[in-house]
Amino acid sequence: YDYFEELQLLDGYDIIETVTVEQGIDLATEARIEFMMFLSDQGTWNGLDSSYATSWQRVRIELRCGSAAWVPLIEGPVVQRVSETSSEPSSSTLTIIVRDDTVYLNHHATTRIFEGMTDDAIVKQLFKLPSSVTGLATQAVMQPDIVVDDIPPRRADRPLQFAAWGTAMVALRVIAELYDMHVYALPGAVQGAASTFYFKAIDTAKIPTLPTLVVVGPHRNIESFHVDDRVGDAGQYVGSSLSLADLSTTRKKSTWTNTQLLGAQT
């Protein structure tokens, strides 16, 4: 009975230890999948040359609560793998790290100059994936669907010119910050479907209702609840802006106490 050979045939599913998906505003969605690793009699470790651990291999993770429909959390390429081997039994692991498809927008850095174009046109052009980038994938990557909210008119003191050094994602975030908007990607409705890239403001009127989380008792629906309360982060921000039109200076101050996380919502 060769347990090592059976692990290879299972292709990884039965040796998954943990799956962690991290999501956050203005952050690429990232998944970390930890696998058990075992040493064969011939001195080789499982997983290192498996298809699921191949660089740029596409991975999709969905979540279902009870009998509800499956909800996709992430679909994107493997961008990193970390192996930790040990002489202690059952202590070796292989972790693969998956990021959403915005990783393709953050792969090639160059100087980008746009003249005579509106910010709406610039955003839509930056969202398009060049063939040199999608060619990195081990599977076909479709051009994403694009959803761009109406962008307010430019300020009078801002010329119709945009130049930035860096990746397409860096340029998109520079433009988004000007209008208090956000850049992110969501997986397609089904496996293999194109992701959707968004350039949007947060709609606080359509925040979904989350289920009640119960840690203990007969109606418990989660294993644990972790709170990370950080008191060392900056609590006050002060900034100044110089207008090139009339050389006037605007100075503003903001603290966490006057920030409404949900807008007008309670």
Side-chain angles (χ1 to χ4, degrees), residues 148-215:
V148 179
D149 274 0
D150 292 335
I151 299 178
R154 290 187 179 212
R155 300 191 307 267
D157 62 341
R158 185 163 169 245
L160 196 62
Q161 181 180 22
F162 176 76
W165 160 256
T167 65
M169 197 65 187
V170 170
L172 285 165
R173 292 201 186 282
V174 169
I175 300 174
E177 187 176 1
L178 295 173
Y179 301 105
D180 194 21
M181 301 175 80
H182 304 275
V183 184
Y184 57 95
L186 293 179
V190 296
Q191 180 180 358
S195 296
T196 301
F197 286 176
Y198 291 90
F199 189 94
K200 292 177 64 67
I202 295 179
D203 188 354
T204 58
K206 295 182 179 180
I207 295 177
T209 302
L210 299 177
T212 301
L213 304 179
V214 183
V215 183

Side-chain angles (χ1 to χ4, degrees), residues 2-9 38-40 44-46:
D2 194 332
Y3 188 50
F4 181 83
E5 289 299 325
E6 182 183 351
L7 290 175
Q8 297 291 73
L9 294 174
F38 301 92
L39 192 63
S40 73
T44 58
W45 297 91
N46 67 292

Side-chain angles (χ1 to χ4, degrees), residues 63-248:
L63 178 69
R64 181 171 67 177
C65 184
S67 59
W70 288 95
V71 178
L73 299 181
I74 183 175
E75 182 170 350
V78 174
V79 296
Q80 185 180 353
R81 63 181 190 178
V82 180
S83 59
E84 297 185 9
T85 55
S86 172
S87 60
E88 293 291 329
S90 303
S91 299
S92 301
T93 60
L94 170 67
T95 302
I96 64 172
I97 299 173
V98 180
R99 298 226 173 97
D100 65 35
D101 281 340
T102 58
V103 70
Y104 293 114
L105 298 175
N106 211 28
H107 191 264
H108 180 62
T110 185
T111 300
R112 304 173 189 277
I113 300 177
F114 301 93
E115 294 189 75
M117 295 177 62
T118 64
D119 286 338
D120 181 86
I122 294 174
V123 167
K124 291 178 180 178
Q125 180 170 325
L126 288 170
F127 267 147
K128 294 181 180 180
L129 301 180
S131 58
S132 60
V133 172
T134 57
L136 294 170
T138 57
Q139 300 174 11
V141 178
M142 300 173 60
Q143 285 291 339
D145 296 324
I146 299 172
V147 176
V148 179
D149 274 0
D150 292 335
I151 299 178
R154 290 187 179 212
R155 300 191 307 267
D157 62 341
R158 185 163 169 245
L160 196 62
Q161 181 180 22
F162 176 76
W165 160 256
T167 65
M169 197 65 187
V170 170
L172 285 165
R173 292 201 186 282
V174 169
I175 300 174
E177 187 176 1
L178 295 173
Y179 301 105
D180 194 21
M181 301 175 80
H182 304 275
V183 184
Y184 57 95
L186 293 179
V190 296
Q191 180 180 358
S195 296
T196 301
F197 286 176
Y198 291 90
F199 189 94
K200 292 177 64 67
I202 295 179
D203 188 354
T204 58
K206 295 182 179 180
I207 295 177
T209 302
L210 299 177
T212 301
L213 304 179
V214 183
V215 183
V216 296
H219 302 293
R220 178 174 64 90
N221 56 11
I222 60 173
E223 291 286 343
S224 61
F225 186 74
H226 174 72
V227 177
D228 185 359
D229 190 5
R230 304 184 183 185
V231 298
D233 292 344
Q236 178 174 296
Y237 294 86
V238 179
S240 299
S241 176
L242 174 66
S243 172
L244 298 180
D246 56 7
L247 299 183
S248 62

